[in-house]
Amino acid sequence: MNIVKNWFKITFNKVFVYALVLLIAVNVVGVITEDAFIMKTVKPFFIPVFLIFFFFKYRYLGIAFISFLLFSFLGDMSSILFLEDVLIETSSVLYVLSYLYLLIMVAPKFKLLEAKALIGTYLLGVFLIAVYFLYVAHGVLSVVVSNKNEVLLFVIKNFTLIVLTFVSFGVYLNTQTKQSALFLTAVVFFGLSVMLNYVKLYYLNNWSLELLDRALYATGLYVMFIYIMNREVLVTKPKQVQLKDRYPSDTVLS
């Protein structure tokens, strides 16, 4: 009983989890009922809802993170503001800009030259494999999609995500802190969401993919907000050392 009572005690962290669950639940309803209005309007509410709950307790956001949220929000809003012809291109540009600001946040902590040789080799190997798969995907998409700008933006968007994941993974391997793990987890969720979105667009338009795509994106935002919340470092004041006026070992010169 105590466990149940403790769970239902309202804390800020639990309220934030409830916000995530609520957003996913509304998306479940929209996808299952195939309500076009809900599907178009719910996703742009992800960031505002998280921000409202965030500002209940916290008041400060860095410029890079604000820029990430702004461009992500505009990318989410593009489904309402633009027609299908320009939707993919516009949203891709906006999301690329949002990922670049995440890269600005994590890049200063990335020190490849200071990493161990094995870790550095492993990172470069993973990066090259990812770039190769992107090259293959570009070749396939060039045959399927006639719009060259759309294909180019596909490459830019995914390459930006690859670099972001590479840097985030490198920071995690070097530091292995909770903060770096949270950032990497959020980036992975964003990457999986993007992959599912492209599968849905060009291969299989299925309601389950749509739902999973949105759930991953919402979870990525949630984890990124948790990363920002935990970013504050408590600095304790060093204890003041009071020096004695005289010590036994002092030598008096006369």
Side-chain angles (χ1 to χ4, degrees), residues 4 39 79 102 121 130 141 172 186 232:
V4 176
M39 294 305 296
S79 60
L102 286 182
T121 304
L141 201 63
Y172 171 72
E232 297 295 330

Side-chain angles (χ1 to χ4, degrees), residues 5 7 35 47 77 112 123 128 188 191 206-207 216 223 245:
K5 288 181 180 179
W7 173 253
D35 191 313
I47 291 175
M77 283 291 293
L112 183 61
L123 282 172
L128 292 175
V188 169
N206 186 276
W207 68 268
L216 288 169
V223 175
D245 292 336

Side-chain angles (χ1 to χ4, degrees), residues 180-199:
S180 60
L182 285 171
F183 195 95
L184 175 61
T185 301
V187 170
V188 169
F189 276 124
F190 290 142
L192 291 174
S193 173
V194 169
M195 288 173 57
L196 282 175
N197 186 50
Y198 278 115
V199 171

Side-chain angles (χ1 to χ4, degrees), residues 16 19-20 22-23 44-54 225:
F16 219 70
L20 171 64
L22 177 63
L23 288 171
F45 279 99
F46 286 1
I47 291 175
V49 168
F50 282 131
L51 271 176
I52 289 171
F53 284 102
F54 178 86
F225 270 100

Side-chain angles (χ1 to χ4, degrees), residues 6 22 29 31 47 52 59 76 90-91 99-100 116 132 167-168 179 185 190 212 214-215 220 227 230 238:
N6 290 334
L22 177 63
V29 173
V31 170
I47 291 175
I52 289 171
R59 294 291 182 271
D76 298 341
T90 305
S91 63
Y99 300 147
L100 286 175
K116 295 179 181 178
Y132 172 75
V167 173
S168 304
Q179 284 297 90
T185 301
F190 290 142
L212 187 56
R214 293 185 175 224
Y227 164 80
N230 289 311

Side-chain angles (χ1 to χ4, degrees), residues 91-128:
S91 63
S92 293
V93 171
L94 292 169
Y95 286 129
V96 166
L97 291 173
S98 71
Y99 300 147
L100 286 175
Y101 278 102
L102 286 182
L103 191 57
I104 290 173
M105 289 171 58
V106 75
K109 303 173 185 177
F110 181 66
K111 305 184 187 304
L112 183 61
L113 296 178
E114 295 181 8
K116 295 179 181 178
L118 182 61
I119 293 177
T121 304
Y122 174 72
L123 282 172
L124 289 175
V126 172
F127 177 76
L128 292 175

